[in-house]
């Protein structure tokens, strides 16, 4: 008789955003005439940049001709896209990253869940708390986290790194050395950014202790302060201790197209084993590549026109972030983030539990956000709002919250 992977039974409830979806659906079924404004899930609302649309049309036309038709993509992705990424995202910032260290995929979420497959099941992971749920849940599925303690709200074998207002939501180095460290900056959900000096401290720590950093830089395009690092490879020695994840979803609006990439430097080894080669084997075995037309769309993001259009798109969402942050502050809320990131992290009023505030906001203001406790124990008492709505809905949501 077949058996299931019992590690899945250690997962807590359903995926956070699935639970939110069910709650909102139930509310709308009971209140069909009430318009709901969604500022919870980080999905974009603005159209794709014109340069991207042009590239998509051109690539589709190519697929209609035998001479220019494309089938399976190369394992790592097309050279035209990998070279554009290397030149614009890395070499332009002084990072020595080459095209053959870049692996094109269908998004950072998939990569952040899949990357753990190349590591031993007995590796200890460290995560910031609060944290993007995929980091922990994918390791639960692999049997790497131990059992869940409901009282503490955490897993027994995970090293949690508290991110609080006292440390500006940037974790301190752990006293217990982990094998794998997950870092995300600009941060989801808190909106915090990290300085180059503090990131260099993490790189030095990882190299000294033989730890690996998985660095999620999906929101680097939202950094307004140019003294802050956009990539971990801006730090000395990062190529020997860090893997970086990137996405086209939030900067260029590719949530519906699906495109991202992972950087695994050739200098990154575990003993005599190259992690670049190991990830290449996993990638080639389990993945057939992002579609040609989508990779051409990604390439268009690096044209001069594409870069300008993306800056405008990011600026649109960051204007929403400013409106939310300043609007909430004027109402008396304590709000963080929204400066170098598209997320606003607010303290719930009157010590209200985060799921209670979710229900209150949905029922009274018909606005959807994300409860902080869904991101970890240290997220309790906080709430996340996203800047990815339209200007009109963002202003309307603030007007509704103002009446509470």
């Amino acid at each position: 008789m077949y058996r299931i992977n019992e590690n899945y039974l250690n997962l807590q409830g359903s995926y956070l955003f699935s639970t939110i979806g069910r709650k909102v659906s139930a509310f709308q079924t009971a209140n069909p005439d009430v318009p709901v404004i969604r500022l919870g899930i980080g999905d974009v609302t603005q159209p794709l940049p014109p340069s991207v649309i042009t590239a998509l049309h051109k690539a589709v036309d190519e697929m209609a001709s035998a001479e220019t038709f494309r089938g399976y993509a190369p394992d790592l992705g097309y050279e035209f896209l990998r070279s554009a990424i290397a030149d614009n995202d890395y070499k332009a910032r002084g990072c020595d990253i080459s095209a053959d260290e870049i692996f094109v995929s269908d998004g950072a979420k998939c990569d952040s869940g899949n990357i753990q497959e190349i590591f031993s099941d007995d590796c200890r992971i460290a995560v910031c708390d609060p944290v993007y749920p995929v980091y922990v849940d994918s390791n639960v599925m692999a049997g790497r986290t131990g059992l869940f303690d409901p009282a503490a709200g955490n897993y027994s074998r995970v090293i949690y790194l508290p991110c609080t207002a006292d440390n500006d939501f940037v974790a301190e180095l752990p006293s217990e050395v982990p094998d794998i460290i997950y870092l995300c900056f600009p941060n989801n959900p808190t909106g915090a950014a990290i300085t180059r000096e503090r990131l260099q401290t993490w790189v030095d720590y990882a190299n000294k202790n033989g730890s690996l950093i998985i660095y999620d830089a999906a929101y680097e395009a939202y950094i307004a302060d140019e003294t802050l690092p956009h990539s971990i490879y801006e730090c000395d020695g990062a190529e020997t201790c860090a893997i970086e994840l990137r996405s086209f979803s939030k900067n260029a609006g590719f949530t519906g197209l699906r495109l991202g990439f992972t950087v695994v430097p050739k200098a990154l080894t575990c003993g005599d084993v190259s992690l670049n080669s190991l990830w290449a084997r996993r990638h080639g075995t389990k993945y057939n590549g992002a579609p040609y037309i989508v990779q051409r769309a990604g390439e268009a993001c690096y044209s001069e026109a594409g870069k300008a259009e993306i800056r405008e798109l990011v600026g649109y969402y960051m204007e929403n972030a400013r409106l939310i942050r300043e609007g909430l502050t004027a109402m008396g809320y304590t709000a963080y983030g929204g400066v170098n990131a598209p997320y606003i992290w607010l303290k719930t009023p009157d010590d209200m539990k985060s799921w209670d505030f979710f229900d209150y906001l949905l029922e009274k203001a018909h606005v959807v956000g994300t409860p902080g406790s869904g991101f970890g124990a240290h997220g309790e008492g906080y709430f996340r709002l996203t800047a990815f709505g339209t200007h009109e809905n963002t202003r309307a949501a603030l007007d509704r919250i103002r009446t509470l």
Side-chain angles (χ1 to χ4, degrees):
M1 180 177 178
Y2 67 87
R3 298 176 61 191
I4 63 167
N5 178 352
E6 294 189 0
N7 294 317
Y8 276 65
L9 303 182
N10 288 328
L11 291 167
Q12 297 306 296
S14 63
Y15 183 55
L16 170 63
F17 297 107
S18 300
T19 302
I20 290 173
R22 283 199 300 273
K23 278 179 167 281
V24 174
S25 178
F27 177 84
Q28 290 186 306
T29 298
N31 303 274
D33 298 325
V34 175
V36 172
I37 298 175
R38 299 171 183 261
L39 299 180
I41 295 175
D43 196 3
V44 296
T45 55
Q46 296 305 293
L48 292 166
S51 295
V52 169
I53 293 296
T54 297
L56 284 169
H57 282 301
K58 183 174 183 292
V60 168
D61 288 340
E62 289 181 45
M63 299 295 275
S65 170
E67 289 74 23
T68 52
F69 175 81
R70 306 292 182 106
Y72 290 126
D75 286 353
L76 274 66
Y78 284 101
E79 191 277 336
F80 61 76
L81 177 56
R82 291 185 291 118
S83 291
I85 291 168
D87 290 343
N88 290 275
D89 287 333
Y90 295 101
K91 290 186 172 67
R93 294 192 174 276
C95 305
D96 187 19
I97 296 297
S98 60
D100 59 359
E101 295 173 310
I102 295 165
F103 296 78
V104 176
S105 71
D106 56 358
K109 179 180 180 179
C110 295
D111 284 350
S112 64
N114 293 332
I115 195 69
Q116 53 81 23
E117 288 188 24
I118 66 174
F119 302 108
S120 170
D121 289 348
D122 61 0
C123 284
R124 291 288 302 277
I125 69 164
V127 296
C128 295
D129 184 4
V131 68
Y132 182 46
V134 173
Y135 307 153
V136 174
D137 286 357
S138 58
N139 279 282
V140 174
M141 294 170 179
R144 200 174 278 120
T145 58
L147 298 177
F148 186 75
D149 180 351
N154 57 35
Y155 287 91
S156 60
R157 291 195 72 248
V158 175
I159 298 170
Y160 290 90
L161 309 172
C163 296
T164 67
D166 291 338
N167 60 17
D168 298 321
F169 301 102
V170 178
E172 308 294 337
L173 297 175
S175 56
E176 184 179 4
V177 177
D179 299 301
I180 300 170
I181 303 163
Y182 286 82
L183 297 177
C184 172
F185 292 104
N187 186 257
N188 177 15
T190 67
I194 192 169
T195 65
R196 184 173 282 101
E197 292 74 22
R198 293 184 81 168
L199 186 55
Q200 184 67 59
T201 299
W202 278 102
V203 170
D204 294 342
Y205 173 90
N207 276 320
K208 177 182 177 181
N209 291 283
S211 302
L212 175 88
I213 297 173
I214 297 176
Y215 191 74
D216 187 343
Y219 301 97
E220 60 81 28
Y222 289 85
I223 295 174
D225 182 348
E226 282 304 319
T227 68
L228 300 176
H230 287 248
S231 169
I232 196 169
Y233 302 117
E234 294 178 45
C235 295
D236 294 337
E239 69 279 358
T240 59
C241 71
I243 290 171
E244 183 165 287
L245 312 175
R246 290 279 190 104
S247 170
F248 288 79
S249 287
K250 307 302 168 59
N251 60 337
F254 278 39
T255 54
L257 288 184
R258 308 308 307 145
L259 189 66
F261 60 90
T262 292
V263 179
V264 186
K266 287 176 286 187
L268 185 55
T269 61
C270 182
D272 295 329
V273 178
S274 163
L275 267 63
N276 181 284
S277 297
L278 207 60
W279 183 240
R281 179 56 191 269
R282 190 267 172 205
H283 209 63
T285 300
K286 292 192 172 184
Y287 186 62
N288 274 332
Y292 170 72
I293 60 174
V294 176
Q295 292 196 48
R296 280 297 186 191
E299 179 192 29
C301 295
Y302 296 103
S303 67
E304 289 307 310
K307 290 177 186 178
E309 291 158 4
I310 287 173
R311 284 194 296 270
E312 183 178 352
L313 190 59
V314 168
Y316 180 95
Y317 293 128
M318 288 309 293
E319 173 60 12
N320 286 343
R322 184 192 67 79
L323 289 170
I324 296 170
R325 186 185 69 254
E326 293 181 0
L328 290 173
T329 300
M331 293 178 217
Y333 288 90
T334 300
Y336 305 90
V339 177
N340 293 294
Y343 295 117
I344 293 83
W345 188 242
L346 66 108
K347 194 81 176 67
T348 57
D350 303 320
D351 295 322
M352 190 180 294
K353 295 291 186 181
S354 57
W355 275 109
D356 291 340
F357 187 65
F358 173 91
D359 292 334
Y360 175 72
L361 207 60
L362 177 60
E363 292 169 8
K364 302 299 184 182
H366 318 314
V367 172
V368 178
T370 308
S373 62
F375 298 102
H378 283 87
E380 183 56 88
Y382 288 90
F383 201 77
R384 191 192 77 173
L385 293 174
T386 83
F388 292 118
T390 63
H391 288 335
E392 295 76 16
N393 279 347
T394 298
R395 291 190 180 95
L398 288 169
D399 288 341
R400 293 181 186 185
I401 295 171
R402 197 174 285 112
T403 64
L404 297 177

